[in-house]
Amino acid sequence: MTLVLGADDVRRLLPEVDAIAAVEAVHADLGSGAMVQPAPVTLGGTDDALFLPMAVRSDRLGFAAVKLMADIPANVGTALPSQRSTILVSSVSTGECIAVIDGAGITRVRTAAASAVATRHLARPDSRVLGLVGAGNLAIEHVRAISAVRPIEQVVVWSRSSSTVERFREQLAEAGDGATDVAVVVAEDPHDVVERTDVLCTLTPSVEPIVRGAWLHRGQHVNAVGARPRPTHRELDATAMARGTLVVDSAATARAKSGDLVLAIAEGALRTNARLVELGEVVAGLASGRASEDEITVFDSVGLAAQDLAVAAAVIQLAQRHGVGETVHLSAAASSLAPVP
């Protein structure tokens, strides 16, 4: 039997998931070599749409998964989301398709959880001001996740759209949990956000740099999160990528689809053959994180199937426990399958 979980099912279950712990654990697996994350294949066509099959296997969790992520810029300005995804999870022991899950909620939560894991290992322990460049769907999840690992007292936010900022403030107030009970300051521009904050998260689908390296200050930590998975899109300029200690979620994936990294290399700010430190190596204790209070640290977050699987596995367990979702006979019984010649 295969479990089918729609967006509403996932939304119901996610509050019970410790996403930060789940994502940190798979990064430890990646860092130690217990798990391998190949770079995704990019499927393009005659239009600007991209499809990325993001695959991973975890023997510890007992699952292999593929998330098919669709990036459709033409949907911007319509009622349709510009990114959609579906996650297929199979058993590594039997090959059975265990679950088919809408990926939107899981993607948002695991992305913020990855930023929180990076912040835990790279940001100064006394960081109290969180900066958000961008106030869209990822913003509240980042407030909640970063507040779980640092004593955040104030959030400084900026967006091109004043209505987006207002919606963010309303949603933050409606959340009503301790993690989102912080003072909110609306900044004049991205430079203003950078100047005021200890931990900075860039959450925009920007094509050109929206944060400059010259703006960064000593002791700051940056999570570069929002750019689309395209080597020509970026939020940070080359100086920002090279100014501090750079950590990526996956070297192979970053080299394939992080415009922040690819363009910094192309412009000569980073060496082409430079060894990239992965977050999993830091989590596993195989590489150092922050070395001093004055150091600037940058986490280039491109998004991994391993992170999706970590959260999806917890969602599946909760769904089975609570009887959430629908089950379907996706495959024929083994006895009815004829051998393949």
Side-chain angles (χ1 to χ4, degrees):
M1 297 291 286
T2 300
L3 179 66
V4 179
L5 296 172
D8 289 341
D9 299 321
V10 174
R11 190 178 301 113
R12 173 182 169 185
L13 296 168
L14 278 173
E16 296 185 48
V17 175
D18 187 346
I20 295 173
V23 169
E24 188 166 43
V26 295
H27 274 287
D29 289 344
L30 291 169
S32 67
M35 188 177 183
V36 177
Q37 175 65 77
V41 175
T42 300
L43 306 176
T46 57
D47 56 12
D48 196 31
L50 290 181
F51 291 83
L52 286 87
M54 301 166 62
V56 72
R57 169 176 171 159
S58 170
D59 289 343
R60 175 176 62 82
L61 294 173
F63 293 131
V66 178
K67 182 172 84 169
L68 182 62
M69 201 275 276
D71 182 54
I72 317 291
N75 284 353
V76 175
T78 74
L80 301 174
S82 63
Q83 292 188 341
R84 303 171 187 256
S85 60
T86 305
I87 304 169
L88 184 149
V89 181
S90 295
S91 165
V92 297
S93 59
T94 68
E96 177 188 7
C97 179
I98 300 297
V100 177
I101 311 171
D102 181 78
I106 287 174
T107 300
R108 283 195 297 272
V109 167
R110 64 80 155 150
T111 301
S115 294
V117 173
T119 300
R120 173 181 280 163
H121 290 273
L122 300 174
R124 287 170 49 148
D126 61 350
S127 298
R128 284 176 166 75
V129 182
L130 171 64
L132 306 177
V133 176
N137 291 332
L138 285 172
I140 290 180
E141 294 297 342
H142 272 75
V143 174
R144 183 177 286 114
I146 303 298
S147 295
V149 299
R150 287 295 181 268
I152 300 301
E153 298 172 354
Q154 184 181 84
V155 173
V156 181
V157 61
W158 174 87
S159 171
R160 287 189 176 92
S161 167
S162 59
S163 61
T164 301
V165 172
E166 187 57 34
R167 185 167 62 250
F168 163 74
R169 298 185 73 165
E170 291 172 356
Q171 292 174 337
L172 204 63
E174 291 171 359
D177 54 35
T180 56
D181 186 19
V182 293
V184 176
V185 174
V186 179
E188 295 181 0
D189 52 38
H191 190 184
D192 189 25
V193 178
V194 178
E195 284 190 327
R196 292 168 176 254
T197 53
D198 304 314
V199 176
L200 173 69
C201 299
T202 60
L203 309 173
T204 72
S206 185
V207 176
E208 299 297 331
I210 201 166
V211 169
R212 304 285 174 180
W215 302 346
L216 303 180
H217 55 78
R218 291 184 302 173
Q220 193 166 38
H221 171 66
V222 181
N223 297 307
V225 178
R228 293 180 182 277
R230 298 166 183 254
T232 56
H233 291 210
R234 60 177 170 175
E235 295 180 292
L236 307 186
D237 69 1
T239 301
M241 291 292 287
R243 187 170 173 195
T245 298
L246 176 64
V247 176
V248 300
D249 48 13
S250 160
T253 303
R255 290 187 184 277
K257 67 174 189 171
S258 168
D260 295 279
L261 176 67
V262 171
L263 293 173
I265 292 173
E267 293 172 8
L270 295 171
R271 298 195 318 274
T272 302
N273 61 350
R275 185 186 180 281
L276 298 174
V277 175
E278 296 186 349
L279 179 59
E281 296 175 287
V282 178
V283 173
L286 302 176
S288 59
R290 173 173 292 275
S292 71
E293 289 191 357
D294 289 342
E295 183 180 6
I296 295 171
T297 53
V298 176
F299 174 55
D300 186 18
S301 176
V302 288
L304 306 180
Q307 299 161 351
D308 295 307
L309 178 55
V311 178
V315 167
I316 290 168
Q317 184 179 52
L318 286 168
Q320 292 171 336
R321 182 187 307 162
H322 298 316
V324 175
E326 298 182 15
T327 54
V328 298
H329 287 283
L330 196 63
S331 301
S335 59
S336 68
L337 297 177
V340 178

